[in-house]
Every structure is written in structure tokens, then in C-alpha cells.
Amino acid sequence: IRHLAPAQTTASRGQQLGDEAAEFVDAVRGIPFLSTLPDEAIERLTRQLKREPYKAGESIIRQGEPGDRFCFVEKGQCAVAIADASGLEHQVATLTAGDFFGEVALIQDIERTATVRATSEVHVLSLGRDAFLAMAEEIDIPTEDVLSQVRNAAFVRAHRFFATLSAQQLRQVLSRVTERSLTADEVVVSQGDSGDSLFLIREGACVVDHEKDDGTSHRVARLGEGDHFGEIALMADGVRTATVKTDASTVLLEVPDDVFKDVLLRNFEAVAQLDRGCSNRLDLLEVL
């Protein structure tokens, strides 16, 4: 990792960090799962951030390598590529200033799942896992709350509905989602009730039951991690078309109606995904 030029002394490094403290604070406040930290923690965190400069064509992280730090794109543009079993790379996303990646590395020691490569001159602000966890313990911040937000950010960013959202849109979503932890056999939504939110399954599983006009009930589906429900009520008449309950200990992310309309319904790819999903589910209910 190239933090600063080797010729710089410790004193000059300290001066640089002092001069750029305001920039670092602004950058941290722009990262959804770090922006909710108290002021003391954010100020402490800025002293742990490192600036890494890259030239076009250089790799910032590589698929298969151990993940050891979180990265925030301060300047420039990057390409995200995933190599298939044959070794052929496929570009799957473009990152620009305000985007971030590698957040799972703050909480888990796992291999990188993609390569991120600079396509222009890039400045990245990085935060190492060890520094983050040590700082969290020393300041006595609610580490579990922060780690839960990290998990939420990683999950939402990887979900197909949100993959094409801008950094600003993603921050809007993450700032408004509500995490719900449920035990098995809890009813999340009931058929016939009004619906004003979309649910994403971060962990666990749910079952979907639909009651027909004659009073008979049918098991429509079993949903697992990464699946969603509740979108039909938001895109149709506002009424839940089925009852959904947990089939195991489950963590749900609830996206409120206003965020659904202001963010997702203004994104063409997300709308296309939602429309296909609604059509398939409504067709299934018709044939049962």
C-alpha cells in the first residue's frame, strides 16, 4: 500500500494530515455506516485514514487476495472486474468519487471477490481493519451497531435492485433502511393489510402463503438470503397480496415507501427488476 512517498519524514506526514483533516472528516461523514459515529470517533477515525494514490491501470485490490482494508474513492474513476473460472475478467461496475468498496474487510478476514483497477488518476482513502477495531474498542463506541451497518451496506450494495445506484442514492437508502431481527414463525406482513415498505432478507428465510377466495391457503414460495417481498403493494394498490412469516431466525432490511419511490422508481434498471418480479409473482398467484 502506498500511503505517502518514501522521502517524506514523520513530521511532514503529520503536517499533511493536519492540513487535510477537514477533507478527511468530510469523507468519513459521507460513508453511510461511519457517518453515524459520534464526533469524537469520527475525529479519531480520520487520523487512521490513509491516502493511496494510483495511476491509470494500477490495481487497488485484486480478486483472491486477503481483504484487509476498506477503501473510499476520493478522486478519479475505477473499474470493478470479476474473473470467471477460466480466468477471463468481466467488468461489472464503475466507481467514481464518493463510491466505496471493501467494507466487509472491516469485519471479516475473507478473500476479495473482485478486482478494482484505476482507470484514471485515483486517490483512495483507506481504513485498515485492525486500526478500525482497535479504535472502536478504545473509544468504546457501539461496535456491534457499526458492524451491523457495515453488513447492511455490503448487502445493499450487492443486491440487484441497488447495483446501479449512485453513491448519493446509496447513502439515501442506507440512512433510511430499518434493520429487523426476528425469530422463527413471526408474521412480517399479512394478506389484505395495507403495505408501505419493501423487505430485503439479509439473513434467514421466510415463507409466503396466499389465501384464495374460497378460504383455502397455499404455500407460494420460500424465500432466502438476498430475496425480497412487499414490492407488489408499493407498485399496485397498496394492499398485501400474501402473508409472509419467518421460517427461521431472520434479519430483514425494511425500505420505506418514500425511499422506494424517490430512489428505486427513478432508476431504470431497478424498475425493470421490480416489474419483472411483480409480473412473475402475480402470474403465480393467478394459477394457484
Side-chain angles (χ1 to χ4, degrees):
I1 301 174
R2 295 153 297 167
H3 303 318
L4 294 167
Q8 291 179 299
T9 64
T10 302
S12 66
R13 293 184 184 191
Q15 181 63 42
Q16 183 186 28
L17 290 178
D19 293 341
E20 297 174 346
E23 292 182 33
F24 286 166
V25 169
D26 288 343
V28 172
R29 292 194 184 281
I31 301 169
F33 51 85
L34 298 180
S35 62
T36 56
L37 294 175
D39 291 342
E40 178 188 1
I42 289 182
E43 291 175 6
R44 187 69 166 271
L45 202 58
T46 60
R47 295 196 287 272
Q48 304 295 332
L49 288 171
K50 305 295 183 182
R51 173 175 280 143
E52 305 176 16
Y54 294 89
K55 297 178 181 178
E58 291 188 296
S59 294
I60 302 170
I61 63 173
R62 293 182 176 86
Q63 184 174 341
E65 291 183 342
D68 61 354
R69 73 199 194 284
F70 160 80
C71 297
F72 177 88
V73 182
E74 181 187 34
K75 169 186 174 183
Q77 181 171 292
C78 310
V80 182
I82 297 177
D84 59 26
S86 69
L88 182 65
E89 280 193 348
H90 304 272
Q91 184 171 328
V92 296
T94 298
L95 305 177
T96 58
D99 288 329
F100 55 89
F101 56 93
E103 61 271 22
V104 177
L106 289 179
I107 59 173
Q108 292 181 348
D109 183 12
I110 61 174
E111 292 184 352
R112 299 293 192 187
T113 58
T115 294
V116 178
R117 187 174 291 113
T119 55
S120 69
E121 180 184 353
V122 171
H123 285 173
V124 167
L125 299 181
S126 70
L127 175 64
R129 179 174 58 250
D130 291 344
F132 169 71
L133 294 177
M135 180 276 300
E137 181 178 357
E138 188 172 342
I139 295 182
D140 194 27
I141 61 175
T143 308
E144 282 305 314
D145 291 346
V146 175
L147 297 188
S148 182
Q149 290 186 54
V150 171
R151 294 186 185 98
N152 291 345
F155 174 81
V156 169
R157 277 169 28 87
H159 198 281
R160 58 188 181 279
F161 286 168
F162 308 97
T164 58
L165 296 187
S166 67
Q168 181 178 358
Q169 290 173 318
L170 186 63
R171 283 194 289 270
Q172 184 178 353
V173 171
L174 288 171
S175 67
R176 294 295 311 282
V177 299
T178 301
E179 180 182 318
R180 294 178 58 181
S181 297
L182 305 173
T183 58
D185 296 320
E186 289 194 59
V187 174
V188 185
V189 300
S190 297
Q191 183 174 337
D193 288 352
S194 60
D196 59 1
S197 55
L198 168 73
F199 293 90
L200 309 173
I201 302 177
R202 196 189 82 186
E203 300 168 22
C206 295
V207 290
V208 183
D209 296 317
H210 177 69
E211 184 176 314
K212 302 192 73 172
D213 294 339
D214 62 6
T216 59
S217 182
H218 298 267
R219 177 64 45 86
V220 177
R222 187 178 190 274
L223 307 175
E225 181 179 325
D227 287 329
H228 66 280
F229 59 91
E231 77 283 2
I232 296 177
L234 299 183
M235 299 184 72
D237 56 6
V239 177
R240 301 295 189 190
T241 57
T243 294
V244 181
K245 66 179 182 180
T246 57
D247 197 36
S249 295
T250 301
V251 178
L252 300 174
L253 298 186
E254 184 173 2
V255 182
D257 181 50
D258 58 341
V259 173
F260 179 85
K261 292 177 179 176
D262 291 344
V263 178
L264 286 181
L265 294 189
R266 293 184 180 183
N267 183 275
F268 175 80
E269 181 60 31
V271 169
Q273 294 269 6
L274 286 162
D275 188 54
R276 286 193 294 269
C278 282
S279 297
N280 292 338
R281 288 181 176 180
L282 288 173
D283 288 345
L284 180 61
L285 294 180
E286 286 293 329
V287 300
L288 288 174

